[in-house]
Amino acid sequence: MNAKTLGYFLKRIGLAILTVWVVITVTFFVMHAVPGGPFLAEKAVSKEVQATLEAKYGLDKPLIVQYGTYLKDIVTKFDFGFSLKQRGRTVTGIISDGMKTSAVLGIIAAVIALINGVVLGAIASINRNKLIDRVIMVFTTAFVSMPSFIMGTLLLLVFSEKLRWFPANGETWVGYILPVVTLSLYPMSYITRLMRSSMLDVLGQDYIRTAKAKGVSYPKIIFGHALKNSMIPVITYFGPMLAYIVTGSLVVEKIFNIPGIGRAFVNSISGRDYPLIMGTTIILAGLIVIMNLIGDIMYKVVDPRVSFD
Amino acid sequence: MKISKNPFSMHVDVDMFLPATDEEKAYMVQMRPSSTFFKDGIKRLVKNPIATVSFVIIVLITLSSIIIPEVWPYSYDNQIGVSFGKTVDASYNNLKPMEYGASEKKAMESGEFVFPHIFGTDDAGRDYFARVVYGTRISLAVGFFASLIVLVIGMIVGSVSGYVGGKVDLVLMRIVDIIYSLPDMLMVILLAAVLRQVLGDKIEGTVLEKIGSNIISLFIVFALLYWVSMARLIRGQILSLREQEYVLAARATGAGAGWIIKKHLIPNCISVIFISTALQIPNAIFTESYLSFLGLGVNAPMPSLGSLANEALDGISSYSYRLIIPAIVISLIVLSLNLFGDGLRDAFDPKLQR
């Protein structure tokens, strides 16, 4: 690794940290701009109780001091305070509970999307303009244009309401099949299209022609040369894919009633549980920023031709 | 024509002044009128059947969403079973398609014509067809205006950044970098959740109240977050176009800045801007429906395609068509806008073609 590469990485990491800080700051001040403060939604309480509550949560201090405390607690203790609605539970606790379910769901969906997308894209590009390519492209185009909540509700309607093949909620592992399919269809289709165009590009390169001219067998050209090089652009999709899965999980967990972080987030918005909204936003945003960072760095490591700007 | 024996002689060759023959005149006939860039693009676009069909679908959906609510006998917020001074007629709630309520049946028996409820009614007795069409109008309008906002802000920031350069460019681009790396959907949800609370009281009694705090907060969110890719695009275009050889050639032959901007920068930039604006519309429609589905979209009783799908989720087993109808409409809109945008790009940006 030369100095230029290292400089790029440092710059990129700096930007990621700055982004997370901006997210925390924006979230904090936006949340405190809500009129009436976080206890407005509660039933009417006496002045003394209100004051005690505010003292307990540190709300009587100036905003900038509260911000400092909030930031310090996150950085040093990973502490996002207490939930307002679920008494006695910390935001970190609620999030880590939900995260166990959501992470399993998201990782399985991502792996399925990745494997199927790469395979389908490769098949489509090898059979360019043949029937199988057309079929793959028609379906992926349709899936890319379909919002996740439409996809999820339609799958729920067809497979669990009408055909009754799968249960409508995620109690057992069978109940996780539909949510995983919902989450993986869009990234799978996107990766398929990405893979197809990049593989078509690679198959037209000079080194493929050289290999052919030297008499290398067809499977060896595909698996030894084309596939590996075509997969490089797919790496750039890592960050966006995670972002999609995170936002997609909000609706998917709502539709299939899965006790994950997405459902907690949606419920916290409708229940005006401000500390929980802030905590979830910051953690999910941090996750996406880190995945984007990893994707970018991996891309530069894997493909040395990529220029540094 | 004879070739002069002495080519450098100053003698005028009388043959050169003979009237032109018909054959020679044929060379000067204009075979077809010269084509402009725009005409060329339209020609390529029309040749693309997918883009043409998509365009027709978009126009049809847009026109019907504008015209039908004006002439339809039922409005989107009219609870048919509820009239002033009478008890609520619950027979109008949850009608299946082509069914009629109690008083309508009576009227039909006495020979009156009652306009059918093509898609039935919803759980509050509102004509579902009217709601779907009106929801389509809302979704399309939100998509269009949000893209317009993105275009204007992105164009201003991008061109200032590209033209001025230097420190201004550096600062603006760092801001763009940070906003670009923010997870947009999460920020949209956060801002939409907060802004509807903040705006709710402020706009009461003004013209804006009719639009609803949620749609306004959606526009604000777009204005705050979504302009960055447009700004980047336009800045990049201007920076690269400035360095093109033909701009240098124009400058060398004495063209002024106004001429270069009018004849070189704008025509080369406009198609890219136009295309990415067209592709921004489905994106905005998608965001609006996503927020509506999470309950952060349009204010009730106003429908949008996303909120209709959200409401349908409760009665999914008995009234599944209420989910399928908005789902089909929204997928059709997004799909045809995307395909049309791709067609536009192929037609107006031939440089991208392989």
Side-chain angles (χ1 to χ4, degrees):
Chain A
M1 199 191 291
N2 57 25
K4 210 176 169 190
T5 322
L6 193 69
Y8 171 80
F9 287 169
L10 287 178
K11 204 176 123 191
R12 194 64 193 71
I13 292 168
L15 182 65
I17 293 171
L18 190 65
T19 310
V20 173
W21 174 75
V22 169
V23 169
I24 295 175
T25 311
V26 167
T27 316
F28 181 85
F29 285 105
V30 159
M31 274 297 152
H32 283 79
V34 178
F39 293 112
L40 189 72
E42 299 288 286
K43 54 178 180 280
V45 286
S46 65
K47 281 241 166 64
E48 296 82 56
V49 177
Q50 176 94 26
T52 326
L53 270 174
E54 285 191 348
K56 188 189 168 196
Y57 290 105
L59 294 175
D60 50 347
K61 297 197 186 79
L63 197 58
I64 195 78
V65 177
Q66 289 182 41
Y67 170 68
T69 324
Y70 191 71
L71 202 60
K72 202 186 88 194
D73 283 353
I74 292 175
V75 175
T76 55
K77 295 182 285 191
F78 208 65
D79 179 8
F80 292 89
F82 290 89
S83 163
L84 290 181
K85 301 288 145 129
Q86 304 178 39
R87 281 286 149 77
R89 295 194 68 192
T90 60
V91 170
T92 318
I94 295 173
I95 290 173
S96 66
D97 276 358
M99 204 53 135
K100 281 171 202 149
T101 318
S102 297
V104 171
L105 199 69
I107 290 170
I108 294 175
V111 169
I112 288 177
L114 209 59
I115 294 172
N116 286 329
V118 167
V119 170
L120 284 176
I123 291 174
S125 69
I126 292 168
N127 300 295
R128 184 186 190 181
N129 289 340
K130 287 184 193 156
L131 179 69
I132 185 160
D133 177 32
R134 294 276 159 86
V135 171
I136 290 175
M137 287 319 280
V138 165
F139 274 98
T140 51
T141 310
F143 289 148
V144 165
S145 298
M146 211 185 261
S148 55
F149 69 89
I150 299 281
M151 194 113 69
T153 43
L154 289 182
L155 285 176
L156 178 78
L157 179 67
V158 173
F159 290 106
S160 72
E161 291 290 337
K162 299 287 169 199
L163 297 174
R164 301 212 169 270
W165 289 356
F166 301 103
N169 51 20
E171 299 282 306
T172 55
W173 67 270
V174 192
Y176 281 89
I177 293 176
L178 284 183
V180 164
V181 170
T182 310
L183 271 185
S184 61
L185 274 178
Y186 177 89
M188 185 197 84
S189 308
Y190 196 94
I191 293 173
T192 305
R193 291 156 65 92
L194 203 65
M195 185 70 192
R196 179 180 179 271
S197 64
S198 106
M199 187 120 165
L200 284 178
D201 194 41
V202 167
L203 286 176
Q205 293 286 327
D206 288 344
Y207 56 83
I208 299 288
R209 196 173 50 193
T210 310
K212 269 185 199 157
K214 279 163 65 186
V216 179
S217 72
Y218 193 65
K220 213 169 177 187
I221 290 178
I222 296 295
F223 288 104
H225 295 278
L227 208 57
K228 238 193 290 177
N229 284 308
S230 323
M231 275 163 69
I232 292 171
V234 175
I235 296 171
T236 54
Y237 186 58
F238 263 35
M241 177 165 76
L242 187 92
Y244 172 83
I245 285 178
V246 165
T247 48
S249 73
L250 301 189
V251 294
V252 166
E253 288 176 11
K254 177 187 151 99
I255 295 169
F256 295 99
N257 206 13
I258 293 166
I261 194 169
R263 201 182 66 170
F265 188 44
V266 174
N267 288 343
S268 71
I269 288 172
S270 48
R272 299 184 195 174
D273 192 344
Y274 296 114
L276 192 54
I277 299 179
M278 287 160 74
T280 328
T281 312
I282 292 167
I283 287 185
L284 291 181
L287 239 151
I288 292 172
V289 170
I290 291 169
M291 271 314 274
N292 270 324
L293 178 70
I294 293 174
D296 270 15
I297 289 182
M298 262 167 66
Y299 186 50
K300 309 278 162 168
V301 171
V302 171
D303 192 355
R305 289 169 304 180
V306 175
S307 66
F308 299 93
D309 46 47
Chain B
M1 198 168 72
K2 282 186 295 181
I3 296 165
S4 169
K5 278 175 191 163
N6 189 354
F8 298 108
S9 148
M10 293 296 284
H11 273 288
V12 174
D13 187 353
V14 186
D15 287 350
M16 289 178 78
F17 294 91
L18 289 175
T21 62
D22 287 343
E23 196 188 327
E24 280 168 345
K25 278 180 189 165
Y27 288 122
M28 301 303 289
V29 172
Q30 207 177 10
M31 298 297 278
R32 60 179 185 128
S34 67
S35 182
T36 62
F37 172 73
F38 185 70
K39 275 188 200 157
D40 268 352
I42 295 290
K43 208 176 274 169
R44 277 193 291 265
L45 191 63
V46 173
K47 271 187 197 154
N48 182 347
I50 298 173
T52 319
V53 170
S54 312
F55 182 68
V56 171
I57 292 174
I58 297 164
V59 169
L60 282 180
I61 292 180
T62 312
L63 283 182
S64 50
S65 79
I66 294 171
I67 297 167
I68 289 178
E70 303 301 326
V71 298
W72 203 248
Y74 307 108
S75 82
Y76 71 92
D77 57 352
N78 177 22
Q79 292 172 275
I80 304 167
V82 182
S83 48
F84 187 72
K86 288 182 190 164
T87 51
V88 175
D89 185 357
S91 68
Y92 281 97
N93 297 353
N94 288 324
L95 287 180
K96 288 270 167 66
M98 305 307 279
E99 280 183 353
Y100 298 93
S103 60
E104 280 177 345
K105 275 181 190 152
K106 234 177 244 170
M108 283 169 81
E109 274 165 21
S110 61
E112 273 177 58
F113 173 73
V114 175
F115 206 86
H117 305 289
I118 297 179
F119 293 159
T121 57
D122 69 358
D123 54 359
R126 295 173 292 207
D127 187 70
Y128 201 63
F129 183 80
R131 283 183 75 71
V132 169
V133 175
Y134 202 82
T136 311
R137 181 198 267 195
I138 299 287
S139 292
L140 282 173
V142 167
F144 181 75
F145 286 110
S147 306
L148 210 63
I149 293 172
V150 166
L151 174 68
V152 170
I153 297 177
M155 202 141 85
I156 293 170
V157 176
S159 46
V160 164
S161 202
Y163 275 120
V164 180
K167 272 186 186 144
V168 178
D169 181 37
L170 199 74
V171 171
L172 282 177
M173 281 306 115
R174 285 296 85 78
I175 296 172
V176 165
D177 275 350
I178 291 172
I179 296 182
Y180 196 79
S181 51
L182 289 177
D184 47 359
M185 265 309 186
L186 286 172
M187 290 292 115
V188 168
I189 293 171
L190 181 79
L191 288 175
V194 171
L195 280 174
R196 61 205 286 253
Q197 309 254 328
V198 178
L199 286 174
D201 312 325
K202 296 225 171 104
I203 60 167
E204 214 162 291
T206 60
V207 195
L208 293 174
E209 196 187 8
K210 221 181 153 198
I211 309 174
S213 59
N214 286 357
I215 291 187
I216 294 174
S217 55
L218 199 74
F219 284 151
I220 294 177
V221 165
F222 265 86
L224 284 176
L225 294 179
Y226 279 75
W227 54 271
V228 284
S229 28
M230 185 66 81
R232 262 191 181 175
L233 184 85
I234 290 168
R235 174 181 173 268
Q237 283 287 318
I238 286 173
L239 284 184
S240 74
L241 286 175
R242 267 199 338 199
E243 307 302 320
Q244 293 286 325
E245 279 85 357
Y246 55 77
V247 175
L248 185 69
R251 203 172 287 147
T253 47
W259 176 268
I260 290 175
I261 290 172
K262 207 171 76 189
K263 283 284 171 187
H264 295 293
L265 295 189
I266 291 178
N268 278 298
C269 221
I270 199 86
S271 55
V272 177
I273 296 169
F274 191 54
I275 292 157
S276 51
T277 309
L279 286 171
Q280 186 75 47
I281 296 177
N283 199 0
I285 291 177
F286 171 78
T287 310
E288 185 277 325
S289 61
Y290 179 89
L291 287 177
S292 292
F293 187 75
L294 290 180
L296 292 169
V298 293
N299 300 46
M302 202 187 260
S304 87
L305 292 172
S307 69
L308 288 174
N310 184 24
E311 286 161 18
L313 203 55
D314 295 330
I316 187 168
S317 44
S318 17
Y319 308 104
S320 48
Y321 58 91
R322 276 192 214 154
L323 175 67
I324 295 172
I325 293 165
I328 289 175
V329 176
I330 205 165
S331 307
L332 203 63
I333 291 175
V334 174
L335 182 67
S336 37
L337 277 171
N338 274 330
L339 290 176
F340 180 63
D342 286 347
L344 268 184
R345 190 175 51 205
D346 291 345
F348 282 91
D349 207 354
K351 273 177 278 181
L352 283 176
Q353 275 174 337
R354 295 251 167 97

